[in-house]
């Protein structure tokens, strides 16, 4: 998909203040896809144990049902760009809205385990689409002077979606008197948890009718008059609109549409810079971050914490995630990407090691001893904080900046695909690994955090303050 994210066209002006409020509305509406990305990704956390009990399945089967959505994510992310280039960004958002809505209803009302799995794949496809369309659209409608700040709406929406999903889960559990399978108006509590997503999914679809199509897409299909009108809406009247349209058109003609073949060097292996992108993407997931968002309620219950409290701790973890993300957004352009990544790796490694120690204690009456239980809770929150203020944000910044222009689109696609696959591997393996040895599982995650330190030091170059054209 062509995107203005690669940098502003020369001569572009900032939006007039009178137009900035409208641009913020457009950006927030598009970022609803990010909200749904975060919400749908983590809401399953509240239903894991109920699904295990209702369908009487083991950890291996349970893990596949939870992780199968990530296959849909990978497919959705890989195809969304081409779909958007054919039918437009807005139509893509509307399709994603329909898929999110269908997934929410289907997941809340499954008649069999395989049926639930199918709806999770459909929801995953919508997540994959939203992960691509949202940032691209925001970049394409944002005035260059505000593009960075408006682009951060997507990441902020994702972490808010995660937090709201945990708050909804906690509220539903309270209504059901702490029973994940407790009945509420004829449905079990976990069904309501998954079904509530209908509300933001429908809202996303409605908002998509209230925002304009991307000017770049309109120019690409020859609708220059419509593109001029939208540029006037978002960048103001005090500019030469014809010159601006020609500027965008010229920039689009200069763009090289990278392909998979461009990523290969001698002997048909990936170029070194592509491997660095793949490594960043995989390390981001291999530290086990999504265990905190997919399985945290199950994890705390497994060491004797009351279900209601476990859901509350899942919510507090997501609040810490928001705080860490804000810290990263403030610091990433001030201290640089590599220092944040290194600080995050060190902090995560220490926190994961402490969690591994805490989980190594023998359970007493089905519970961790008080000291180890408290230590595990604190360490889990510290781990999420260090991830959020570092790898959670800087990996996406690196991936957007580190590749040469001629490779960027294709290399980013490969790196994001690797990220979804690593996410799937961690998500699918955790229940079985936890049954084997919970402490050992966290030692594995800690080792990946430690290994990420020499990886960053040796292979990852700082991109702060460099023009995209300097990357090579």
């Amino acid at each position: 998909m062509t995107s203005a994210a690669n940098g502003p066209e020369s001569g572009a002006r900032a939006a007039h203040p009178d137009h900035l409020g409208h641009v913020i509305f457009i950006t927030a509406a598009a970022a609803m896809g990010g909200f749904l990305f975060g919400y749908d990704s983590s809401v399953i956390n509240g239903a894991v144990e109920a699904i295990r009990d209702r369908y009487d399945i083991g950890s291996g089967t349970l893990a596949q049902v939870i992780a199968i959505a990530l296959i849909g994510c990978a497919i959705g992310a890989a195809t969304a760009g081409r779909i958007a280039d054919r039918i437009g960004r807005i139509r893509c958002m509307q399709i994603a809205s329909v898929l999110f809505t269908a997934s929410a209803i289907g997941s809340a009302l499954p008649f069999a385990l395989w049926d639930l799995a199918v709806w999770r794949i459909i929801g995953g496809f919508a997540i994959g689409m939203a992960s691509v369309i949202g940032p691209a659209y925001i970049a394409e409608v944002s005035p260059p002077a505000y593009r960075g700040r408006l682009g951060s709406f997507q990441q902020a929406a994702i972490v808010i979606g995660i937090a709201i999903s945990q708050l909804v889960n906690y509220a539903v559990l309270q209504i059901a008197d702490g029973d994940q399978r407790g009945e509420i108006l004829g449905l079990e509590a976990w069904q309501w948890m998954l079904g509530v997503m209908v509300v933001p999914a429908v809202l996303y679809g409605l908002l998509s009718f209230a925002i304009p199509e991307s000017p770049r897409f309109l120019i690409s299909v020859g609708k220059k008059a419509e593109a001029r009108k939208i540029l006037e809406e978002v960048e103001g009247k005090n500019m030469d609109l014809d010159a601006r349209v020609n500027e965008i058109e010229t920039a689009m003609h200069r763009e090289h549409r990278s392909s998979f073949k461009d990523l290969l060097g001698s002997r048909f292996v990936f170029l070194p810079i592509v491997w660095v992108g793949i490594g960043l993407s995989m390390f981001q997931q291999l530290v086990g971050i999504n265990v905190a968002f997919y399985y945290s309620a199950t994890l705390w219950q497994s060491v004797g914490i009351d279900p209601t409290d476990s859901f509350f701790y899942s919510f507090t973890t997501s609040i810490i995630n928001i705080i860490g993300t804000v810290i990263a957004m403030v610091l990433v352009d001030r201290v640089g990407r590599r220092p944040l990544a290194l600080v995050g790796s060190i902090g995560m490694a220490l926190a994961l090691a402490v969690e591994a120690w805490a989980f190594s204690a023998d359970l007493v009456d089905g519970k961790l001893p008080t000291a180890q239980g408290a230590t595990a809770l604190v360490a889990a929150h510290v781990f999420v904080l260090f991830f959020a203020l570092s790898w959670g944000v800087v990996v996406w910044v690196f991936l957007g900046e580190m590749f040469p222009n001629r490779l960027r689109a294709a290399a980013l696609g490969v790196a994001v695909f690797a990220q979804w696959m690593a996410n799937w591997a961690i998500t699918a393996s955790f229940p079985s690994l936890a049954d084997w040895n919970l402490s050992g599982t966290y030692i594995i995650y800690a080792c990946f955090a430690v290994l990420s330190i020499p990886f960053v030091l040796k292979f990852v170059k700082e991109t702060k303050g460099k023009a995209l054209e300097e990357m090579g």
Side-chain angles (χ1 to χ4, degrees), residues 291-379:
V291 168
F293 299 122
Y294 297 159
Y295 294 114
S296 60
T298 295
L299 172 66
W300 298 127
Q301 289 172 54
S302 73
V303 293
I305 290 177
D306 177 82
T308 301
D309 289 340
S310 72
F311 275 61
F312 177 72
Y313 295 137
S314 295
F315 173 64
T316 58
T317 299
S318 63
I319 296 300
I320 293 294
N321 188 34
I322 293 175
I323 293 170
T325 300
V326 172
I327 293 173
M329 290 165 63
V330 170
L331 295 180
V332 69
D333 284 325
R334 296 184 180 182
V335 304
R337 290 74 162 130
R338 286 179 87 240
L340 277 183
L342 291 169
V343 168
S345 293
I346 294 168
M348 288 189 297
L350 293 173
L352 288 165
V354 171
E355 280 194 86
W357 169 81
F359 289 135
S360 68
D362 292 330
L363 300 183
V364 179
D365 295 326
K367 297 182 178 182
L368 281 175
T370 302
Q372 281 85 349
T375 300
L377 280 170
V378 172

Side-chain angles (χ1 to χ4, degrees), residues 186-455:
L187 296 177
E188 295 182 4
W190 70 273
Q191 293 176 278
W192 281 102
M193 293 175 187
L194 300 183
V196 167
M197 192 178 69
V198 166
V199 176
V202 171
L203 178 60
Y204 181 41
L206 293 175
L207 286 171
S208 72
F209 287 99
I211 59 178
E213 181 55 87
S214 157
R216 285 173 66 92
F217 170 74
L218 292 172
I219 292 171
S220 73
V221 295
K223 298 182 179 180
K224 295 183 182 180
E226 291 183 41
R228 286 189 195 92
K229 182 179 178 182
I230 293 166
L231 286 169
E232 184 179 332
E233 288 179 16
V234 299
E235 296 190 14
K237 297 179 180 179
N238 301 324
M239 62 182 301
D240 187 337
L241 294 175
D242 288 332
R244 184 75 174 98
V245 168
N246 291 334
E247 194 173 31
I248 293 173
E249 192 171 26
T250 301
M252 291 173 66
H253 287 156
R254 286 200 309 262
E255 289 174 355
H256 169 69
R257 285 180 173 267
S258 56
S259 67
F260 185 81
K261 189 182 297 185
D262 295 324
L263 307 182
L264 303 177
S266 60
R267 299 179 182 177
F268 298 100
V269 296
F270 285 137
L271 295 168
I273 191 66
V274 180
W275 284 115
V276 175
I278 291 172
L280 283 167
S281 289
M282 294 188 68
F283 273 120
Q284 187 197 51
Q285 297 301 315
L286 293 175
V287 295
I289 184 60
N290 279 310
V291 168
F293 299 122
Y294 297 159
Y295 294 114
S296 60
T298 295
L299 172 66
W300 298 127
Q301 289 172 54
S302 73
V303 293
I305 290 177
D306 177 82
T308 301
D309 289 340
S310 72
F311 275 61
F312 177 72
Y313 295 137
S314 295
F315 173 64
T316 58
T317 299
S318 63
I319 296 300
I320 293 294
N321 188 34
I322 293 175
I323 293 170
T325 300
V326 172
I327 293 173
M329 290 165 63
V330 170
L331 295 180
V332 69
D333 284 325
R334 296 184 180 182
V335 304
R337 290 74 162 130
R338 286 179 87 240
L340 277 183
L342 291 169
V343 168
S345 293
I346 294 168
M348 288 189 297
L350 293 173
L352 288 165
V354 171
E355 280 194 86
W357 169 81
F359 289 135
S360 68
D362 292 330
L363 300 183
V364 179
D365 295 326
K367 297 182 178 182
L368 281 175
T370 302
Q372 281 85 349
T375 300
L377 280 170
V378 172
H381 284 73
V382 170
F383 164 64
V384 171
L385 177 65
F386 273 99
F387 175 86
L389 64 80
S390 60
W391 286 73
V393 170
V394 299
V395 167
W396 291 108
V397 176
F398 270 130
L399 293 180
E401 296 176 337
M402 65 186 287
F403 301 116
N405 283 337
R406 70 184 187 280
L407 304 178
R408 185 166 294 115
L412 185 57
V414 168
V416 171
F417 181 81
Q419 189 175 111
W420 284 120
M421 290 296 97
N423 189 343
W424 173 83
I426 292 296
T427 305
S429 64
F430 176 75
S432 296
L433 284 173
D435 286 349
W436 161 68
N437 189 312
L438 185 57
S439 177
T441 301
Y442 274 81
I443 289 174
I444 293 171
Y445 299 154
C447 287
F448 281 119
V450 170
L451 289 172
S452 70
I453 298 172
F455 174 80

Side-chain angles (χ1 to χ4, degrees), residues 122-133:
I122 291 172
F125 190 91
I127 292 173
M129 290 185 73
S131 71
V132 172
I133 298 303

